[in-house]
Amino acid sequence: MAKFTIKDIKGVIPALMTAFDEHEEVYEKGIRELVDHLMNEGVEGFYLTGSTGEGFLMNEAERKQVVEIVIDEVKGRVPVIVHVGAISTKISIELAEHAEKMGADAISSVPPFYWRFSPDHIYNYYKDISESVDIPMIVYNVPLAGIMGFDLIKRLASIEKVEGIKFTATSHHEISMIKKEVGQDFMIYSGADEMAVSGLINGADGIIGSFYNLMPEMFIKINELVKKDNVTEAMAVQKDAIDLIMYSVQKDYYSVMKVALKWMGVDAGYVRRPFINIQGQEEEALKEGFKALKKAGNIKDVKFLDAL
């Protein structure tokens, strides 16, 4: 049974990575270790089996397994959102029903993709999934699956259980527009790591992102500074985060984050093919690159850098 309402889901929420072992199997020990590490860092929720969680590289049974492990490890301490997106509405409903049964607090989904689905297709997709469960749906506006227009977002918000949106588009002026036209109770989560400050100052209720797995302390600090209206200092932290992100995305950045967590003693496992694991000389070169960034930018109080 869900323990939190949609209004409780706010703050800094990692889009949780999924740990795999060296044979590409779901790695329960690594998942639990990563969850505990992030809980100790002070994150305020988790977003499971999305893009960062390599959700589309898993079958339905594996996605359910990850949900079960994480919810068991969290033990109701923070809200859990489960991404149930699939091209097939039937599969998404199966994943949504399982998430609710396991005790998830909300579900989320990208719109159906690959084929050129119309606004009516997308509306029906979210309506059908939302009607299959009693927990809130958070729709997902993301370039990888196709950015939805403002009119479609408003239409989706009219569905009874659609109570929020993960907004990874860069048109952040729309965040305040959504709040104004849909209502202040409609929850908005900024999903662009590089634009966390922008999302928050435009009215986002929380931030959901990939790099919160690796450097949650930076984004927790950003969130706290914005709450105190100290935008100048928040932007300084954001700039350092952007430098680290831009360096990381030159490679398979899920692999970068997993190997960098290892430097701190957190076993987050491996990535699944076709992503490439960073090892050997490439790992040493990665370390040297991060050391150079730290020195050049005088970046302080970032734990994975301090572990080098």
Side-chain angles (χ1 to χ4, degrees):
M1 180 179 292
K3 298 183 183 300
F4 297 93
T5 69
I6 191 74
K7 297 297 286 184
D8 296 320
I9 305 176
K10 53 190 176 183
V12 179
I13 302 169
L16 189 71
M17 293 188 298
T18 301
F20 300 102
D21 66 19
E22 61 270 32
H23 304 296
E24 301 188 49
E25 300 299 325
V26 172
Y27 180 35
E28 180 172 345
K29 176 181 176 293
I31 294 170
R32 291 183 183 274
E33 195 165 321
L34 180 56
V35 168
D36 283 348
H37 167 71
L38 293 171
M39 289 288 297
N40 289 334
E41 290 295 312
V43 302
E44 297 167 86
F46 292 103
Y47 186 98
L48 315 184
T49 58
S51 305
T52 306
E54 300 176 62
F56 290 113
L57 301 184
M58 291 187 278
N59 60 36
E60 291 96 84
E62 290 170 326
R63 290 172 70 169
K64 291 176 183 179
Q65 182 184 0
V66 171
V67 170
E68 291 168 12
I69 293 168
V70 175
I71 290 177
D72 179 68
E73 193 65 26
V74 169
K75 292 181 171 60
R77 291 174 288 174
V78 296
V80 173
I81 306 164
V82 176
H83 175 263
V84 299
I87 300 174
S88 160
T89 303
K90 184 177 185 296
I91 291 173
S92 292
I93 287 174
E94 180 184 335
L95 293 170
E97 290 174 343
H98 175 265
E100 181 179 36
K101 181 180 177 182
M102 290 301 107
D105 299 287
I107 55 171
S108 181
S109 178
V110 295
F113 56 93
Y114 185 75
W115 286 283
R116 294 193 176 208
F117 291 108
S118 70
D120 285 342
H121 290 130
I122 295 170
Y123 176 86
N124 290 332
Y125 171 83
Y126 281 114
K127 185 174 185 291
D128 289 343
I129 299 169
S130 297
E131 289 178 348
S132 73
V133 293
D134 289 324
I135 54 177
M137 163 66 83
I138 298 168
V139 301
Y140 190 178
N141 209 25
V142 60
L144 286 171
I147 293 294
M148 296 181 285
F150 188 69
D151 289 342
L152 179 55
I153 291 171
K154 288 198 296 181
R155 186 181 175 197
L156 294 175
S158 71
I159 298 170
E160 183 179 355
K161 292 191 187 73
V162 172
E163 298 184 35
I165 184 169
K166 184 171 185 259
F167 195 88
T168 306
T170 56
S171 50
H172 280 186
H173 64 282
E174 289 189 341
I175 293 176
S176 57
M177 289 172 60
I178 293 168
K179 284 287 189 181
K180 180 180 178 180
E181 297 202 24
V182 176
Q184 294 299 312
D185 289 337
F186 189 77
M187 302 294 281
I188 303 178
Y189 306 95
S190 178
D193 298 17
E194 303 90 333
M195 299 180 69
V197 173
S198 174
L200 290 167
I201 64 176
N202 276 287
D205 299 286
I207 50 177
I208 300 174
S210 302
F211 281 88
Y212 309 173
N213 287 274
L214 178 59
M215 43 197 188
E217 66 273 25
M218 299 188 82
F219 295 93
I220 290 170
K221 187 173 183 179
I222 284 170
N223 192 40
E224 290 172 349
L225 289 167
V226 172
K227 284 181 180 178
K228 295 175 182 176
D229 292 324
N230 192 343
V231 177
T232 300
E233 192 173 343
M235 282 303 302
V237 179
Q238 178 80 79
K239 178 183 176 299
D240 288 341
I242 289 170
D243 288 343
L244 297 171
I245 292 169
M246 289 299 101
Y247 177 67
S248 300
V249 298
Q250 295 176 47
K251 304 178 183 296
D252 285 354
Y253 62 91
Y254 302 154
S255 182
V256 170
M257 290 192 287
K258 288 180 179 182
V259 76
L261 279 159
K262 181 185 70 174
W263 303 337
M264 292 189 287
V266 180
D267 182 3
Y270 299 85
V271 293
R272 243 185 192 177
R273 292 175 296 172
F275 293 121
I276 298 171
N277 287 293
I278 295 171
Q279 298 172 318
Q281 291 184 342
E282 189 177 9
E283 181 178 345
E284 293 306 311
L286 183 69
K287 285 183 178 180
E288 293 306 311
F290 276 126
K291 286 177 183 177
L293 274 176
K294 178 184 178 182
K295 183 177 180 180
N298 193 27
I299 302 174
K300 298 178 180 178
D301 301 322
V302 178
K303 292 181 181 179
F304 88 90
L305 293 178
D306 292 341
L308 291 170

